[in-house]
Amino acid sequence: MKPPMPDTRPADSPSLFPSHVRVVDVLLPVAVGSAYSYRVPEGIEVAVGDIVVVPLGTRHMLGCVWPRTEDPRESPKPVDPARLKPIQRKYDVAPLRPAMIAFIRWIADYTVTPPGMVLRLALRHDESAGIARERTGVRLTERRPERRTSARERVIAALLDGFVRSKSDAAREAGVSPSVVDGLVDDGVLETVVLPPEPAAEAPDPDHSRPELLPAQAEAATRLVAAVKARAFQPFLIDGVTGSGKTETYFEAVAEAIRQGRQTLILMPEIALTQAFLDRFARRFGVRPAEWHSAVSTKRRGRVFKGVASGEVRVVAGARSALFLPFADLGLILVDEEHDNAYKQEDGVHYHARDMAVVRARLEAATVALVSATPSIETEVNARRGRYTRLALPERFAGTKVPRLEPIDLRREGPPRGQWIAPRLAQEMERTIEAGGQALLFLNRRGYAPLTLCRACGHRIKCPSCSSWLVEHRFRRRLECHQCGYATPVPTECPNCHEPNSLIPCGPGVERLHEEAAKLMPEARLQVLSSDLAGGVERLRAELKAIEDGEVDIIIGTQLVAKGHNFPGLALVGVIDADVGLGHGDPRAAERTFQLLHQVAGRAGRHEMEGRAFLQTYMPEHPVMQALVAGDRDAFYDREIGVREEAHLPPFARFAALIVSGTDPHAAQAHARALAACSPFTGEVRVLGPAEAPLALVRGRHRYRLLARSARLFDLSAYVRAWMAGAPRATGNLRVEIDIDPQSFL
Ligand code: ADP
Ligand code: ZN
């Protein structure tokens, strides 16, 4: 995985065009492999990395002045320069630095995606949020100048959007000298306005409130601080159980980056929900970090984008998309809960933010630390091989023990038919609540029941456009498809045999569990937490707060509650169906189950109270359950790594998946077969399939999968690229998705 060196030649090197016409290549955020050529009009100066506004067809869009390359995939086709369209203007933001351009190219290469699609991830923010930094700004009036020059026209064009800009920004965007702007103000074409005072971007203070570190924390912090100081690429794994003080430890590295004047990126899987983290950051550094995720307003995003590019914003906490922000000087990347699946983007550019964070750190000569209590097998193997330096925090800060996990064997002590809470778990819950503690029932199933069945004819109700059962949501009184969002009222008769009142719910979801718990403990205060909660993120935050404040006795939750929340009063966790993830043939099933259940159990007993956790399982002898019950993490990793090596599974081999889909199943299958037939032959790659995908139908599209497998050190991306270059084109509505290092096999 060696990154290519960035091309630093000047953008307007005159290789293809006559010297009197200035031409540059501009990469646009579209799914085309190569850059486009544009003419640079008189009076505008552009260099590689500059963000510019250019016409494309009837639209205008942002693009990046791209370095010329020998790579035919990126080079535009030569066009008669006289026919080239001109760049409209420069966009007011710092240019993309060579390291960022190299990063975009690296990801495009690795994921086998057009570079423009990766650039799109990097330019995704609101274009109209140009916020002037000075106290006064200028904007256009109704008047137009008597004396018209091309410089003046460009200023007017730049300000036609009606937004206020500082004089210097207006001049820079139009590519003219400030005196042109002054002249237009004098002529009444522009007017000066006073802007409301902007709060200055407050800088975090590295010494605001420094904790006394435990010896293990101090040792780990020293290593991280030294790495940040060294300003060289160094990857770490911060490995310690929940509550061992990992966050407090990496804050020391953040403090050092701030002292060095470099920027920090903290990636989190569920940033929209981790308000507690932001407050905690503020307690340590005096101010909150900048946030970057889908729940941040576009205006705010525009501001963060520019602040990151200018270097003014020092610390960003964000979701995976924050990885594409144009940092001016990135010195430290932290990937919290690095094992989390939310880091893998499953559409568009299929990238894994954890892996790409390591790539970006290398290109930026930055320190990177992956943080987890249950590292991914990939990361654990990298740590065992010494590629990542392991910093271990073996004990919980508060001295409490990670809860013991006790199996409840559903074959011997399960609940009565039609119920899901075993008698022993019910007893323990009662005892916990009487003692003033909280209990969490964990079930990773939204809704009331995962399946609706006709008792007369056995018919099961399926989604009309997906191969999945409809899930009953009793609260909303409808059946829903969790693949495509299709929803329909619960029918009063079987859609197949038309027998009235014959439909029965099968299996439990959190709503059904809620019903059962309420019957068992009528006095208890209950709260269901799942992504179905009406009221969105705001409501969810309020409910989490209520739980923290002890206003709830029993929490019934999906995996939403497993992630990073701190419930001080939580003393008991009951996992309703510990086996749910182990059933199907996913090579990561054991790893996922181990991580999720360990994490859920770790929610209990983080403070004074000792926590307890129960696993309801039909297979207490399964190695994953055994490792969880014995609290033997190493046993799990040793065994799982052995299994992967033996079976030639990642990270001991490499996978690339192709998913062919279309509305016509025959056409999709035929195209998948044609792809298989033209896969380049080499003894180093095996192509398996096509096979119908486990999720054979999604949103009316029939899906077929191919899987290419190679040795670990083989360049599988290059192979897939060569394969696609010689493959028949997907016509009609056929689509081929490429997924390098697939996480999902559905
Ligand atoms: P982790 O990130 O490993 O889950 P945290 O960093 O969240 O662990 O620490 C767990 C708890 O212990 C937090 O409430 C944190 O504030 C506290 N803590 C950790 N280290 C220290 C320390 N050195 N001084 C004071 N409190 C600490
Ligand atoms: Zn559906």
Side-chain angles (χ1 to χ4, degrees), residues 432 436-439 547-548 550 566-572 603 605 607 609:
T432 302
Q438 289 172 317
I547 295 169
E548 229 177 277
N566 190 11
F567 301 137
L570 190 66
L572 180 126
R603 297 296 115 209
H607 293 259
M609 259 180 285

Side-chain angles (χ1 to χ4, degrees), residues 106-114 716-718 720-722 724 738 740:
W106 203 99
I107 294 197
D109 268 352
Y110 190 80
T111 61
V112 195
T113 337
L716 196 55
S717 299
V720 172
R721 202 156 40 238
M724 291 303 107
I738 299 172
I740 306 289

Side-chain angles (χ1 to χ4, degrees), residues 711-725:
R712 186 174 63 84
L713 294 174
F714 184 80
D715 187 348
L716 196 55
S717 299
Y719 175 86
V720 172
R721 202 156 40 238
W723 181 4
M724 291 303 107

Side-chain angles (χ1 to χ4, degrees), residues 608-624:
E608 298 78 35
M609 259 180 285
E610 286 281 310
R612 297 183 73 189
F614 293 86
L615 300 177
Q616 298 193 157
T617 173
Y618 281 100
M619 3 183 210
E621 70 293 336
H622 192 287
V624 169

Side-chain angles (χ1 to χ4, degrees), residues 463 465-466 481 483-484 486:
C463 175
S465 38
C466 302
C481 172
Q483 286 304 321
C484 71
Y486 169 85

Side-chain angles (χ1 to χ4, degrees), residues 211-214 217 241-248 280 397 606:
E212 194 82 38
L213 295 182
L214 295 177
Q217 287 180 310
V241 294
T242 5
S244 61
K246 299 185 294 293
T247 312
E248 220 62 59
R280 193 166 158 192
F397 178 78
R606 295 194 63 184

Side-chain angles (χ1 to χ4, degrees), residues 443-472:
L443 177 64
N444 211 4
R445 283 211 164 118
R446 292 159 48 206
Y448 186 83
L451 175 67
T452 300
L453 180 87
C454 173
R455 137 175 73 196
C457 73
H459 178 71
R460 302 158 167 208
I461 303 187
K462 253 172 95 169
C463 175
S465 38
C466 302
S467 47
S468 57
W469 311 121
L470 291 183
V471 177
E472 181 182 352

